Amino acid sequence: MRALVVNCTLKASPEPSNTEALAHVVAEQLVSYGVEVQFVRAVDLDIRPGVTSEAAGPGDQWPEVHRKLLEARILVMASPTWLGRPSSVAQRVLERMDAMLSETDDQGRPVAYNRVAGVVVTGNEDGAHHVISEIVGALGDIGYTIPGQAWTYWHLGPGAGPDYLDDERGHDWSHRTGRAMAANLHGTARALQTLPLGAPPS
């Protein structure tokens, strides 16, 4: 089984990403179940605006991300909180994923069916639950199954504060919740392999 973590930080590599650091806790738990995990830092790629899975112009690298999405049974979207909302990079990724609504497999099912998804959020301001709800809502629309407690987040309350990598407070809770998230994603993905959803009724 494969999992894909799409890190929607605003920080280009090799700058350390707080969001990626917390996502690695989830990834490590998935690996313990035998899942192969791959990371994509979207800001490092040339992802054009649009709602198509095909290249939206010369050099557009979205088709490669789309291929990785279809190879993965588990998707983890990871985003920082900015102004209480998902990052602009997360919004662009979700807009490109919108095209998956009209794509079906050889049994007529939306391509996101029988795949599961969850969310990781970090930020030095409040708003994690709002970010989670926005991303989970979009992924559910696209066709992903969202297990119960398929998220983890870290912040230290309302107002500006330190970053995840700069402060150890709250890590125990975030890591414990992240491991539970991974367990729920993996368990639900296995269940859907055994008893997959069929095509929607016409």
Side-chain angles (χ1 to χ4, degrees):
M1 185 180 293
R2 292 183 180 179
L4 179 67
V5 179
V6 180
N7 179 13
C8 297
T9 178
L10 302 184
K11 299 172 181 173
S13 297
E15 189 173 355
S17 163
N18 296 285
T19 306
E20 185 166 307
L22 181 53
H24 268 288
V25 174
V26 179
E28 288 165 9
Q29 188 68 26
L30 288 171
V31 168
S32 76
Y33 301 135
V35 178
E36 178 185 332
V37 182
Q38 184 173 14
F39 277 74
V40 167
R41 191 182 289 207
V43 75
D44 289 343
L45 305 176
D46 185 355
I47 298 176
R48 307 289 173 83
V51 287
T52 176
S53 295
E54 292 74 34
D60 180 20
Q61 294 177 278
W62 177 255
E64 178 64 14
V65 180
H66 178 259
R67 180 184 66 78
K68 291 176 180 178
L69 287 168
L70 297 185
E71 290 175 348
R73 287 290 156 187
I74 299 171
L75 169 64
V76 175
M77 284 279 291
S79 175
T81 303
W82 288 111
L83 300 174
R85 304 182 62 82
S87 74
S88 58
V89 176
Q91 183 63 33
R92 177 158 300 184
V93 167
L94 291 169
E95 286 170 352
R96 293 302 296 265
M97 290 178 69
D98 182 86
M100 294 168 66
L101 281 164
S102 59
E103 298 170 11
T104 56
D105 64 14
D106 55 8
Q107 297 184 46
R109 298 172 298 199
V111 292
Y113 268 35
N114 300 306
R115 305 176 196 278
V116 300
V119 184
V120 171
V121 178
T122 61
N124 62 6
E125 58 180 305
D126 200 355
H129 277 284
H130 179 75
V131 173
I132 291 164
S133 65
E134 284 211 3
I135 295 176
V136 161
L139 294 174
D141 282 349
I142 292 165
Y144 283 89
T145 295
I146 313 297
Q149 210 274 278
W151 47 261
T152 189
Y153 67 87
W154 180 91
H155 69 77
L156 291 180
D163 290 328
Y164 171 83
L165 288 171
D166 298 330
D167 197 312
E168 290 296 322
R169 289 178 293 170
H171 283 209
D172 287 346
W173 181 88
S174 296
H175 293 183
R176 185 170 63 252
T177 309
R179 290 190 293 270
M181 166 188 173
N184 293 342
L185 288 170
H186 179 250
T188 305
R190 288 184 63 197
L192 287 170
Q193 280 186 323
T194 302
L195 189 63
L197 298 169
S202 58

